[in-house]
Amino acid sequence: MKNIAVLTGAGISTSAGIPDFRGPDGVWTKHPEQQSVYDIDAFLSDREAREYSWRWQKESPVWNAQPGEAHKALARLEQAGLLTLLATQNFDALHEKAGNTDKVIVNLHGTIGTSHCMKCHMKYSTADIMTKLDDEPDPHCRRRLPYSGNMPCNGLIKTDVVYFGEMLPDGAMETSMQRVCQADEFWVIGSTLEVFPAASLVPVAAQAGVPITIMNMGRTQYDRLAARLIHEDIAVALPRLVDETIAE
Ligand SMILES: NC(=O)c1ccc[n+]([C@@H]2O[C@H](COP(=O)([O-])OP(=O)(O)OC[C@H]3O[C@@H](n4cnc5c(N)ncnc54)[C@H](O)[C@@H]3O)[C@@H](O)[C@H]2O)c1
Ligand SMILES: [Zn+2]
């Protein structure tokens, strides 16, 4: 039986109504000034940037999005016992919603559903913070710290989305690299492969001699490393590829 490792990007979720960043209808393609929404330096240094970033995330289509046919196909691939890694650059949790499990999912860029205090690391539900955002547009940690005279911590709260300039979650790249190298095939689905270190999984796979499939409407810098390039709509092409692979 085959072991397949998969890397997904924003392109798998466009058909679920979440725009990508760099595609033809991408957020940055249309509004280049939005690049700082997920920039950690701006978030840390500027209150206005924080308020904008929070507001932006509150209004994201992510909250009501439902998994599409492509997400469901990857759930079938796991159920068939063929999927060993589902590393995703998305923070929309649509792979979880489609039925893929923690056994295979690695959220390289975190997730929007939870938040944390940047000072004391207290965990928060992002949905809870969003309901109070009108009163508290720049959310701060209210936890009382016994070791500082019961004063509120007052640290900045941030979603668990990995912003540009932040480290990836502990172990995320290591686990992904290991499973990519042990796979029989590596599939890249819906990514421009512009964001590092996630994109480096492709040269890592090539070095290990793992055949690479890139399914993406637009070109990527690693197209030359791919054994198979698929320039079709992911919502159609991925379910087909999965069903063919299960039937093999
Ligand atoms: N859904 C999300 O959670 C979400 C959405 C936007 C951005 N992001 C974040 O932004 C970064 C964006 O980088 P990226 O490489 O993932 O995406 P990207 O925006 O850089 O590229 C998306 C690619 O997908 C292709 N694409 C879009 N719809 C497609 C379709 N239906 N069929 C075939 N191809 C399609 C586009 O041509 C484009 O090349 C990531 O790091 C991610 O964390 C996440
Ligand atoms: Zn705190």
Side-chain angles (χ1 to χ4, degrees):
M1 238 179 14
K2 264 190 195 166
N3 282 344
I4 297 167
V6 175
L7 170 68
T8 63
I12 196 173
S13 294
T14 51
S15 59
I18 306 170
D20 60 17
F21 281 168
R22 299 180 186 81
D25 292 320
V27 173
W28 292 349
T29 312
K30 289 182 168 171
H31 309 280
E33 74 283 2
Q34 302 291 7
Q35 295 215 16
S36 62
V37 168
Y38 293 112
D39 184 287
I40 194 62
D41 293 330
F43 190 87
L44 290 176
S45 60
D46 181 23
R47 181 194 162 107
E48 244 176 73
R50 281 196 297 280
E51 292 188 3
Y52 193 83
S53 184
W54 273 104
R55 176 65 46 192
W56 177 268
Q57 289 175 90
K58 181 173 179 178
E59 285 163 13
S60 167
V62 164
W63 299 103
N64 296 316
Q66 294 304 317
E69 291 310 313
H71 299 95
K72 291 179 197 162
L74 290 177
R76 289 202 295 285
L77 196 64
E78 182 178 350
Q79 277 150 19
L82 300 175
L83 183 64
T84 51
L85 172 73
L86 178 47
T88 184
Q89 303 176 82
N90 300 336
F91 42 77
D92 54 29
L94 288 182
H95 292 308
E96 283 88 348
K97 280 194 196 169
N100 282 113
T101 70
D102 288 350
K103 278 194 199 136
V104 298
I105 295 176
V106 174
N107 284 306
L108 293 168
H109 294 164
T111 169
I112 202 169
T114 51
S115 292
H116 67 279
C117 166
M118 297 186 83
K119 196 162 144 196
C120 76
H121 307 291
M122 168 94 166
K123 295 224 158 274
Y124 289 87
S125 143
T126 304
D128 285 352
I129 293 171
M130 293 307 190
T131 58
K132 298 176 211 142
L133 202 64
D134 286 341
D135 299 326
E136 262 192 272
D138 179 22
H140 281 67
C141 181
R142 296 276 166 264
R143 180 184 186 188
R144 297 201 173 264
L145 301 174
Y147 49 82
S148 63
N150 262 344
M151 295 290 284
C153 161
N154 210 33
L156 292 178
I157 300 176
K158 186 189 146 292
T159 61
D160 292 341
V161 170
V162 175
Y163 280 32
F164 289 99
E166 278 194 299
M167 303 272 282
L168 271 50
D170 269 353
M173 276 308 289
E174 290 78 359
T175 302
S176 301
M177 282 199 263
Q178 218 169 33
R179 295 198 201 161
V180 163
C181 290
Q182 290 164 351
D184 301 309
E185 285 186 29
F186 180 44
W187 298 355
V188 177
I189 312 292
S191 174
T192 48
L193 298 172
E194 295 283 332
V195 181
F196 285 85
S200 67
L201 290 173
V202 178
V204 164
Q207 190 90 53
V210 179
I212 298 164
T213 296
I214 297 181
M215 182 184 290
N216 199 59
M217 207 64 100
R219 287 174 200 284
T220 81
Q221 61 179 319
Y222 291 129
D223 284 357
R224 68 195 150 78
L225 297 180
R228 177 166 57 178
L229 279 175
I230 305 172
H231 296 291
E232 287 174 63
D233 181 8
I234 292 163
V236 178
L238 187 59
R240 192 177 63 219
L241 178 61
V242 164
D243 292 338
E244 282 167 10
T245 306
I246 292 175
E248 266 174 23

mmCIF file of all heavy atoms in Angstrom, residues 205-223:
data_model
loop_
_atom_site.group_PDB
_atom_site.id
_atom_site.type_symbol
_atom_site.label_atom_id
_atom_site.label_comp_id
_atom_site.label_asym_id
_atom_site.label_seq_id
_atom_site.Cartn_x
_atom_site.Cartn_y
_atom_site.Cartn_z
ATOM 1 N N ALA A 205 11.753 16.770 -0.440
ATOM 2 C CA ALA A 205 11.206 15.562 -1.072
ATOM 3 C C ALA A 205 12.037 15.177 -2.299
ATOM 4 O O ALA A 205 12.364 14.006 -2.506
ATOM 5 C CB ALA A 205 9.746 15.785 -1.473
ATOM 6 N N ALA A 206 12.396 16.183 -3.095
ATOM 7 C CA ALA A 206 13.168 15.920 -4.314
ATOM 8 C C ALA A 206 14.508 15.279 -3.963
ATOM 9 O O ALA A 206 14.924 14.292 -4.583
ATOM 10 C CB ALA A 206 13.376 17.225 -5.083
ATOM 11 N N GLN A 207 15.155 15.834 -2.949
ATOM 12 C CA GLN A 207 16.443 15.311 -2.491
ATOM 13 C C GLN A 207 16.332 13.858 -2.051
ATOM 14 O O GLN A 207 17.233 13.052 -2.283
ATOM 15 C CB GLN A 207 16.891 16.171 -1.296
ATOM 16 C CG GLN A 207 18.300 15.942 -0.842
ATOM 17 C CD GLN A 207 19.239 16.866 -1.581
ATOM 18 O OE1 GLN A 207 19.020 18.075 -1.592
ATOM 19 N NE2 GLN A 207 20.259 16.326 -2.204
ATOM 20 N N ALA A 208 15.190 13.528 -1.414
ATOM 21 C CA ALA A 208 14.980 12.163 -0.911
ATOM 22 C C ALA A 208 14.478 11.223 -2.014
ATOM 23 O O ALA A 208 14.211 10.055 -1.754
ATOM 24 C CB ALA A 208 13.994 12.187 0.257
ATOM 25 N N GLY A 209 14.310 11.758 -3.215
ATOM 26 C CA GLY A 209 13.882 10.909 -4.327
ATOM 27 C C GLY A 209 12.397 10.557 -4.295
ATOM 28 O O GLY A 209 11.976 9.573 -4.911
ATOM 29 N N VAL A 210 11.602 11.346 -3.569
ATOM 30 C CA VAL A 210 10.163 11.082 -3.504
ATOM 31 C C VAL A 210 9.477 11.785 -4.673
ATOM 32 O O VAL A 210 9.646 12.998 -4.838
ATOM 33 C CB VAL A 210 9.577 11.611 -2.162
ATOM 34 C CG1 VAL A 210 8.074 11.376 -2.088
ATOM 35 C CG2 VAL A 210 10.291 10.982 -0.977
ATOM 36 N N PRO A 211 8.731 11.052 -5.507
ATOM 37 C CA PRO A 211 8.068 11.695 -6.652
ATOM 38 C C PRO A 211 7.053 12.747 -6.210
ATOM 39 O O PRO A 211 6.255 12.502 -5.298
ATOM 40 C CB PRO A 211 7.366 10.537 -7.369
ATOM 41 C CG PRO A 211 7.874 9.286 -6.755
ATOM 42 C CD PRO A 211 8.459 9.610 -5.428
ATOM 43 N N ILE A 212 7.101 13.901 -6.863
ATOM 44 C CA ILE A 212 6.291 15.052 -6.443
ATOM 45 C C ILE A 212 5.203 15.342 -7.467
ATOM 46 O O ILE A 212 5.450 15.370 -8.669
ATOM 47 C CB ILE A 212 7.208 16.298 -6.304
ATOM 48 C CG1 ILE A 212 8.283 16.051 -5.224
ATOM 49 C CG2 ILE A 212 6.399 17.558 -5.996
ATOM 50 C CD1 ILE A 212 9.437 17.025 -5.280
ATOM 51 N N THR A 213 3.986 15.574 -6.950
ATOM 52 C CA THR A 213 2.885 16.056 -7.776
ATOM 53 C C THR A 213 2.544 17.467 -7.315
ATOM 54 O O THR A 213 2.348 17.683 -6.108
ATOM 55 C CB THR A 213 1.626 15.165 -7.590
ATOM 56 O OG1 THR A 213 1.920 13.860 -8.057
ATOM 57 C CG2 THR A 213 0.432 15.737 -8.357
ATOM 58 N N ILE A 214 2.497 18.430 -8.224
ATOM 59 C CA ILE A 214 2.037 19.780 -7.855
ATOM 60 C C ILE A 214 0.727 20.046 -8.573
ATOM 61 O O ILE A 214 0.673 20.045 -9.807
ATOM 62 C CB ILE A 214 3.085 20.855 -8.201
ATOM 63 C CG1 ILE A 214 4.380 20.627 -7.396
ATOM 64 C CG2 ILE A 214 2.525 22.264 -7.915
ATOM 65 C CD1 ILE A 214 5.479 21.655 -7.653
ATOM 66 N N MET A 215 -0.336 20.232 -7.787
ATOM 67 C CA MET A 215 -1.645 20.559 -8.347
ATOM 68 C C MET A 215 -1.943 22.010 -7.981
ATOM 69 O O MET A 215 -2.225 22.330 -6.836
ATOM 70 C CB MET A 215 -2.725 19.637 -7.759
ATOM 71 C CG MET A 215 -4.114 19.884 -8.324
ATOM 72 S SD MET A 215 -5.378 18.859 -7.516
ATOM 73 C CE MET A 215 -4.948 17.240 -8.122
ATOM 74 N N ASN A 216 -1.825 22.895 -8.963
ATOM 75 C CA ASN A 216 -2.007 24.326 -8.708
ATOM 76 C C ASN A 216 -2.300 25.031 -10.023
ATOM 77 O O ASN A 216 -1.647 24.760 -11.025
ATOM 78 C CB ASN A 216 -0.724 24.904 -8.078
ATOM 79 C CG ASN A 216 -0.961 26.220 -7.382
ATOM 80 O OD1 ASN A 216 -1.763 26.280 -6.460
ATOM 81 N ND2 ASN A 216 -0.304 27.273 -7.818
ATOM 82 N N MET A 217 -3.272 25.923 -9.996
ATOM 83 C CA MET A 217 -3.622 26.633 -11.217
ATOM 84 C C MET A 217 -2.452 27.479 -11.701
ATOM 85 O O MET A 217 -2.107 27.460 -12.872
ATOM 86 C CB MET A 217 -4.845 27.510 -10.948
ATOM 87 C CG MET A 217 -5.675 27.782 -12.166
ATOM 88 S SD MET A 217 -6.402 26.277 -12.834
ATOM 89 C CE MET A 217 -8.056 26.369 -12.181
ATOM 90 N N GLY A 218 -1.836 28.210 -10.798
ATOM 91 C CA GLY A 218 -0.714 29.075 -11.174
ATOM 92 C C GLY A 218 0.609 28.311 -11.136
ATOM 93 O O GLY A 218 0.678 27.187 -10.649
ATOM 94 N N ARG A 219 1.653 28.953 -11.681
ATOM 95 C CA ARG A 219 2.989 28.344 -11.645
ATOM 96 C C ARG A 219 3.590 28.456 -10.256
ATOM 97 O O ARG A 219 3.211 29.327 -9.491
ATOM 98 C CB ARG A 219 3.927 29.115 -12.589
ATOM 99 C CG ARG A 219 3.661 28.877 -14.028
ATOM 100 C CD ARG A 219 4.556 29.821 -14.867
ATOM 101 N NE ARG A 219 4.008 29.973 -16.198
ATOM 102 C CZ ARG A 219 4.113 29.030 -17.130
ATOM 103 N NH1 ARG A 219 4.749 27.912 -16.887
ATOM 104 N NH2 ARG A 219 3.582 29.229 -18.322
ATOM 105 N N THR A 220 4.586 27.598 -9.971
ATOM 106 C CA THR A 220 5.359 27.730 -8.735
ATOM 107 C C THR A 220 6.843 27.661 -9.080
ATOM 108 O O THR A 220 7.209 27.184 -10.165
ATOM 109 C CB THR A 220 5.050 26.605 -7.715
ATOM 110 O OG1 THR A 220 5.796 25.441 -8.087
ATOM 111 C CG2 THR A 220 3.564 26.272 -7.663
ATOM 112 N N GLN A 221 7.664 28.102 -8.134
ATOM 113 C CA GLN A 221 9.107 28.096 -8.401
ATOM 114 C C GLN A 221 9.684 26.683 -8.446
ATOM 115 O O GLN A 221 10.819 26.504 -8.869
ATOM 116 C CB GLN A 221 9.821 28.912 -7.331
ATOM 117 C CG GLN A 221 9.620 28.366 -5.925
ATOM 118 C CD GLN A 221 10.364 29.189 -4.894
ATOM 119 O OE1 GLN A 221 11.487 29.593 -5.114
ATOM 120 N NE2 GLN A 221 9.719 29.450 -3.770
ATOM 121 N N TYR A 222 8.914 25.690 -7.970
ATOM 122 C CA TYR A 222 9.428 24.320 -7.937
ATOM 123 C C TYR A 222 8.790 23.408 -8.969
ATOM 124 O O TYR A 222 8.943 22.187 -8.893
ATOM 125 C CB TYR A 222 9.249 23.735 -6.529
ATOM 126 C CG TYR A 222 10.146 24.381 -5.500
ATOM 127 C CD1 TYR A 222 9.625 24.873 -4.312
ATOM 128 C CD2 TYR A 222 11.516 24.498 -5.723
ATOM 129 C CE1 TYR A 222 10.445 25.469 -3.354
ATOM 130 C CE2 TYR A 222 12.354 25.094 -4.786
ATOM 131 C CZ TYR A 222 11.808 25.576 -3.603
ATOM 132 O OH TYR A 222 12.618 26.154 -2.678
ATOM 133 N N ASP A 223 8.103 23.987 -9.948
ATOM 134 C CA ASP A 223 7.462 23.156 -10.970
ATOM 135 C C ASP A 223 8.452 22.187 -11.625
ATOM 136 O O ASP A 223 8.111 21.058 -11.954
ATOM 137 C CB ASP A 223 6.804 24.039 -12.051
ATOM 138 C CG ASP A 223 5.495 24.651 -11.563
ATOM 139 O OD1 ASP A 223 5.080 24.346 -10.423
ATOM 140 O OD2 ASP A 223 4.879 25.443 -12.310
#
